[in-house]
Structure formats: C-alpha cells, structure tokens
Amino acid sequence: MSRRDRLGKLDFKLSPYLYVAPFFIVFAITGLYPLLYTAWVSFHKWHLIGGDQGFNGVDNYVSVVQQPTFWIALRNTFSIFLLSSVPQIIAAILIAYVLNTNLRAKTFWRMGVLLPYVVAPVAVSIIFSKLFADQSGMVNALLGHIGVNAIGWHSSAFWSHIAIANMVNFRWTGYNALIILAAMQAIPNELYEAATVDGAGRMRQFWSITIPQLRSTIMFVVINSTIGGLQIFDEPRMFDTMGNGGADNQWLTLTMYLYQLGWGPQKSFGRASAVAWILFLIILLFAALSFMLTRRISSSGTTPTKTPRRRRPERARAAVPDRAAARRTTSEGAL
C-alpha cells in the first residue's frame, strides 16, 4: 500500500472525529469543567470571600436536605413545571395543526407565534406581574366584570404558580409549536390521502395519523420542557419587586434557593453547589425516564410482524424430486 493510500485511509477514518471535535472541546471547557468543579465545591466548606475552608464530605447535602425551605422550593418547582408544561405542549400541538392547514399568509402567522420567544424574559415577567397584580391588575379587573372577586396572585401559592406558568407558556408555546409544525410537514401526504379515501374525517386523521407520527417529536419537546421547567428562574425572580420568592416562599424555586445560598447573607458556595447538583440529578432522572418512555412509545406498533412462511403442499413438495429425477434421466439418456 502506497503512502498516498495510507493517508487517504487515515483521512477517511479520522475525518468524522475531527469534524465533531470542536463541539466537544468547547463543551468540555464551558460545560463539563464547570459541572465537575461544582461537584468538587459541593464537598467543601466554601465561602464567597474566604474561598475553600476545608473538606466536609456530604455535610452540605445533609444540611440542604434538612432545611424546610429546600422542600418548599422543590414543591414550587414541580408545581410550576406541571402547570406550565402540560398546557403548553397541548396548545403547541393545536397551534401547529392550525398552522399546517391552508392559511393565507402562512409565513406571517408562523413568525407571529415566535414573537413572544424573542421578547426578553425580564420584560415578559414585568408585564405579567402588572397583569396579575393583586388589586389593580387587568386580570382582576376582567374578573370583576363577570362578578368574580379579586384574586391575591402574590399572596397564594397556587395562584402565584398559575401566574408564573402563564408567563412561561406565553414565551415557549410558539417555539414548541414551530418544532411540532416542522415534524407535521414531514408526514407523508399519502397517509392522509389513503385515510380520506377510506372515509376518515379530520378528527380521525388527527388522532390516527398525526399524533402517532409525532410521538418522537412530542417526547423531544417534553424532554426540553422538563429541563427548562425545572431550571426556571427569570419569571419567578421578577414576579415581584423584592425577588425573594414571596414573603412565605410561595413561588420560591430551586434555582432561586440556589441563588440565595450562594449570594445571600450566608454566602455558602458549598451548599449552593450541593443544591445545583441535586437539581442536576433530578433533571437527569427525568430526562432518563423521558428517554426510556420515548423509545418504548416510538417502538410500539412499529415492530414488523414476522410473516409465517407458507408451506408448500405435500403434493407440490413431492413433485420437486420427481422433476429433478426426470431431468437427470433425460440427461443420462442424451449421453
């Protein structure tokens, strides 16, 4: 083998790795190293000014878990996540279905649903905090016109979660709708044409063709919503002027609790890092469950059934050796 052939073979083997190497190098510097460094800090007594003050094992994790504020923040995080993600995905599927129909000015409407995503989270939070004000908000004013008493959006844990969930839905529903719309456009038209010939209506086609074909995309959106929903910070942080999660921690989330531990009066980077890693493990667990569910849903109903091999009749099988014997006899006679 010549030197040129060896170089060509080496280039063929190494080129794919060289093409993807820049991403992994940047990820190792900006993502993996901070993650591992946070894990190392979580096992130390670390102060913002004093720095490392000694190894203390799992004391930071134990101290965090023993705090009632941690469990309140965990409850609030899951509550806001469920109140935002479930309606958001349902609305995104419906919006994508409407955008996939024969609308006039399709590009305009598709750009329109993405505009809330472009708006800065702080601006959205400030606007919605005024809309959901306790006494003078527009939502309470509209409720007053239909005879409903004003709701204390900032005083109640449940209603504050509803208000923050609306902020999240306002920003992310259009973004997820465009992802689902792209998957809808990849569905072959032959499936809908065959269903129309068979007499299936729009609703039947939606449930029997569109939704099954979108299973993988929907689960991708679910995983992204899970990761983003459990890391929510901007919306609850800007829900009031104090930014502390309420007087009784009504809407305090894990990321806000992490911020308070790291930059609050205590300034304990060790415990803040412990909260960060607990949150990371929770997100990793939910991502793994979503991935397993995605594989199971994607593979369900798509496994081809093994067609049984048809057995030849006894008469046909018996005729085969007879024909072979006849050919041999003919050939021997010719010789």
Side-chain angles (χ1 to χ4, degrees):
M1 182 181 294
S2 63
R3 181 172 178 271
R4 183 175 181 180
D5 293 337
R6 288 196 299 269
L7 290 176
K9 187 177 181 180
L10 183 64
D11 177 70
F12 179 77
K13 291 182 177 180
L14 293 181
S15 293
Y17 300 99
L18 295 177
Y19 293 149
V20 300
F23 166 77
F24 287 99
I25 293 174
V26 174
F27 171 75
I29 297 174
T30 62
L32 184 61
Y33 172 74
L35 185 66
L36 298 178
Y37 186 74
T38 302
W40 185 77
V41 172
S42 67
F43 292 102
H44 291 74
K45 187 177 181 181
W46 198 285
H47 194 268
L48 177 61
I49 300 177
D52 188 5
Q53 298 179 354
F55 179 80
N56 61 354
V58 296
D59 291 347
N60 291 326
Y61 292 89
V62 174
S63 176
V64 166
V65 173
Q66 290 178 349
Q67 296 296 325
T69 308
F70 169 79
W71 296 104
I72 295 174
L74 184 64
R75 179 206 66 185
N76 295 340
T77 301
F78 277 100
S79 176
I80 296 173
F81 158 67
L82 292 175
L83 290 173
S84 60
S85 296
V86 176
Q88 177 188 142
I89 295 172
I90 296 174
I93 295 173
L94 297 177
I95 293 173
Y97 180 76
V98 173
L99 292 176
N100 198 36
T101 57
N102 294 324
L103 290 176
R104 293 183 178 179
K106 290 183 179 180
T107 305
F108 171 78
W109 296 111
R110 292 171 184 176
M111 291 178 58
V113 298
L114 192 61
L115 285 178
Y117 174 73
V118 180
V119 181
V122 176
V124 174
S125 302
I126 293 175
I127 294 171
F128 272 78
S129 64
K130 302 302 180 183
L131 293 176
F132 290 96
D134 293 334
Q135 301 298 330
S136 58
M138 188 180 72
V139 177
N140 279 334
L142 294 176
L143 293 176
H145 285 294
I146 60 176
V148 179
N149 295 329
I151 298 175
W153 300 101
H154 292 76
S155 60
S156 172
F158 174 75
W159 291 114
S160 62
H161 296 176
I162 292 290
I164 295 173
N166 277 281
M167 302 182 199
V168 179
N169 293 336
F170 174 77
R171 292 195 65 239
W172 291 98
T173 300
Y175 175 82
N176 291 327
L178 291 184
I179 295 177
I180 298 174
L181 174 63
M184 282 186 181
Q185 292 180 339
I187 301 176
N189 291 327
E190 291 80 4
L191 298 177
Y192 295 103
E193 293 173 358
T196 303
V197 172
D198 292 338
R202 287 184 175 270
M203 187 60 65
R204 182 65 177 176
Q205 293 179 17
F206 178 77
W207 288 109
S208 300
I209 298 177
T210 305
I211 295 299
Q213 292 292 324
L214 294 177
R215 286 179 298 188
S216 299
T217 304
I218 291 174
M219 293 311 302
F220 170 77
V221 172
V222 169
I223 294 175
N224 279 349
S225 300
T226 302
I227 296 174
L230 295 178
Q231 293 179 346
I232 185 172
F233 178 80
D234 295 331
E235 290 82 359
R237 172 74 176 174
M238 300 299 299
F239 189 52
D240 66 348
T241 57
M242 301 299 295
N244 294 324
D248 297 327
N249 299 322
Q250 301 97 311
W251 61 88
L252 179 72
T253 60
L254 279 178
T255 52
M256 294 179 64
Y257 182 56
L258 184 157
Y259 179 83
Q260 291 180 2
L261 287 177
W263 300 94
Q266 300 177 357
K267 293 182 176 58
S268 176
F269 272 20
R271 283 188 288 176
S273 300
V275 174
W277 257 85
I278 292 174
L279 179 60
F280 170 73
L281 294 177
I282 292 174
I283 294 174
L284 194 64
L285 176 62
F286 271 80
L289 292 175
S290 300
F291 177 74
M292 294 172 59
L293 184 61
T294 301
R295 293 189 60 182
R296 176 167 298 184
I297 293 177
S298 299
S299 60
S300 63
T302 59
T303 303
T305 58
K306 187 176 181 180
T307 305
R309 187 176 181 180
R310 294 184 62 185
R311 299 181 61 183
R312 289 183 297 178
E314 294 293 334
R315 186 176 300 173
R317 286 187 295 171
V320 173
D322 293 340
R323 289 195 297 268
R327 286 194 298 270
R328 286 197 301 270
T329 304
T330 303
S331 61
E332 290 174 359
L335 293 173

